[in-house]
Amino acid sequence: SLAFNAEGTLERLEGDPPGVLFTVHRCRFVELLDAADARPLAPLFCEVDAAFFRPAYTPIRLERPSTLAAGGPICDFRFRAPGPSAE
């Protein structure tokens, strides 16, 4: 599937609370920065994601153990909504 700047797959995450896993296999930001010989800037785009999903901005938690920008094979976005105890 295509999501603006990335290609990847979506799947449901089990657990408490359940969530969604968006596995990105292709990131346009990384590709554009590679083409512009500016790859060291790629992690800044990842930092924007992390900043947006901080609790001060949204209750949805983001975990992302791997990123293409940092040289990983994928970006594995794990999104979880607050559990019943957080309400």
Side-chain angles (χ1 to χ4, degrees):
S1 71
L2 177 64
F4 300 108
N5 67 316
E7 289 181 12
T9 57
L10 277 173
E11 61 186 274
R12 189 172 195 277
L13 287 172
E14 300 297 327
D16 186 25
V20 174
L21 172 62
F22 181 42
T23 305
V24 174
H25 303 279
R26 183 177 178 200
C27 176
R28 304 285 193 283
F29 291 129
V30 172
E31 291 173 2
L32 289 170
L33 290 167
D34 279 347
D37 198 26
R39 179 64 179 263
L41 297 175
L44 295 174
F45 289 91
C46 302
E47 284 301 315
V48 170
D49 295 332
F52 180 79
F53 285 99
R54 286 195 179 106
Y57 300 107
T58 181
I60 297 172
R61 279 192 338 225
L62 166 64
E63 299 169 359
R64 190 179 41 198
S66 176
T67 66
L68 293 165
I74 60 170
C75 292
D76 50 349
F77 290 81
R78 299 161 192 250
F79 297 100
R80 294 194 188 270
S85 61
E87 296 174 357

